[in-house]
Amino acid sequence: MKRVKVGIVGLGRLGMDHAKNIAFNIPNAELTAACSISEEEVAYVQKHWSIPYGYTNYDDMLQNKEIDAIAIVSSSPEHCSQIEKALDAGYHVFSEKPLGTTVEECKIAEKAVERNPDKVFMLGFMRRYDPSYEYAKRKITEGAIGKPILVKATSIDPEDTIDGAIRFAESSGGLFIDMTVHDIDLARWFLESDVKNIYSIGGCYLHKEFAAYGDGDNVASLMHFENGAMAMFHSGRNAPHGYHVETEIVGTHGTLRIGSVPQKNEVMIFDSHGARKECVSGFPERFKAAYRLEVEEFIHCILEERKPSISVYDGTKATEVAFAATESFRQNTLVTLKAEEVL
């Protein structure tokens, strides 16, 4: 079977994980080129992984016609412009979330996808590919919990990563677009409906630096969906125990709960602190399998000439809801999404 030659842009923490998966862990994929603004990062993957092409300029990489597809793992504000350039240059495109940091950016990506219907575009909402979340979706589809009526989700980054969160706060789009967007996408997926009303609250309870960007270190949101279902989200920056992600889906005849304790593995430690389990350290560890599986699906879509289940419009919808949640938080008011905003 043909191997899909991939060029990746962005070699930060997550970029390196994606690059490693493409290079070594995904059948029928070949990491052919790497691009980063850091010459050291490019030199590292070329030397240690024998990657033939290295670039510090994204436009230069797009001139390489040996490449079949582009994986975008750059900073969030760059996503939509890089998506547009890659699709229009004739490449299949995988992009990490969020689709864009503004709705206007998302519309640029939508038009690029529409102009290139023969190309595969996939957005990296990796939680849909996590085995536990995928299993929960199957149970809902099978009717195991009756009609789903409420999604409760918590997503909190570890306190030991707070310096990076503060450093990138200005360009992150805020907690709702940077983190809650995953929970928004899952709720839309599980409930099979779009958001109608949003009310959000929060504040800077420990790290006042976020206030300068109209953001908080902990925020919460209550959402009402078009089909009458509900969602409750809590996102934060300062979990002292590690990376904390959990989701509960309440149905009319049962409940599914995923990740109630963010445990690292099945080992129980007995020591001077008592009996305890260690927690996962961050998203690369918790969603290691999901990151590999989503890119594997992208490669399969290219080879099988089909489109993935996650569309560019899912990215726009999640961004629209995240920005409405941000507006509600900043204005301390209920926000109603207009019908035309929910496509």
Side-chain angles (χ1 to χ4, degrees), residues 17-29 288 292 296:
D17 286 345
H18 274 307
K20 189 177 297 183
N21 278 331
I22 295 167
F24 304 112
N25 300 324
I26 298 176
N28 306 115
K288 181 178 181 180
R292 177 183 56 80
E296 192 170 281

Side-chain angles (χ1 to χ4, degrees), residues 19-176:
K20 189 177 297 183
N21 278 331
I22 295 167
F24 304 112
N25 300 324
I26 298 176
N28 306 115
E30 179 180 323
L31 186 61
T32 303
C35 178
S36 171
I37 58 174
S38 168
E39 292 182 2
E40 291 78 11
E41 291 173 349
V42 174
Y44 178 88
V45 297
Q46 284 199 273
K47 177 181 178 181
H48 294 281
W49 301 354
S50 300
I51 307 304
Y53 299 103
Y55 302 91
T56 55
N57 183 287
Y58 179 67
D59 292 337
D60 290 343
M61 184 169 71
L62 295 184
Q63 300 301 312
N64 188 335
K65 296 309 177 182
E66 286 189 36
I67 299 170
D68 302 305
I70 300 293
I72 297 172
V73 202
S74 52
S75 60
S76 297
E78 303 294 329
H79 289 180
C80 288
S81 64
Q82 291 180 341
I83 289 167
E84 180 182 38
K85 286 182 178 181
L87 286 170
D88 287 344
Y91 299 101
H92 303 287
V93 176
F94 171 88
S95 176
E96 259 303 327
K97 71 84 195 170
L99 178 62
T101 55
T102 69
V103 175
E104 291 73 22
E105 289 176 1
C106 293
K107 296 299 182 181
I108 291 172
E110 283 186 7
K111 291 177 181 177
V113 171
E114 291 164 358
R115 281 197 304 273
N116 297 278
D118 60 324
K119 299 303 174 186
V120 172
F121 172 77
M122 182 170 171
L123 187 62
F125 279 131
M126 81 293 183
R127 294 189 193 180
R128 293 197 192 195
Y129 292 90
D130 175 76
S132 295
Y133 282 100
E134 191 274 334
Y135 181 77
K137 174 65 173 178
R138 277 193 283 124
K139 298 303 289 183
I140 292 170
T141 301
E142 292 167 3
I145 61 170
K147 180 182 178 181
I149 58 173
L150 172 65
V151 172
K152 296 189 286 184
T154 296
S155 296
I156 315 175
D157 275 343
E159 172 65 28
D160 62 14
T161 64
I162 194 65
D163 289 343
I166 293 171
R167 188 164 60 252
F168 292 104
E170 186 174 7
S171 61
S172 72
L175 252 179
F176 288 105

Side-chain angles (χ1 to χ4, degrees), residues 199-201 214 323-335:
Y199 182 66
S200 303
I201 56 176
F323 271 100
T326 303
E327 178 187 354
S328 176
F329 162 66
R330 290 174 176 169
Q331 302 298 326
N332 190 28
T333 188
L334 179 73
V335 171

Side-chain angles (χ1 to χ4, degrees), residues 14 27 29 43 51 68 78 114 146 162 190 214 235 246 261 272 277 299 305 315 324-325 327 335 337:
L14 182 55
I51 307 304
D68 302 305
E78 303 294 329
E114 291 164 358
I162 194 65
F190 288 139
S235 298
E246 63 175 290
V261 178
S272 60
K277 289 189 174 183
I299 298 299
E305 298 183 351
E327 178 187 354
V335 171
L337 275 74

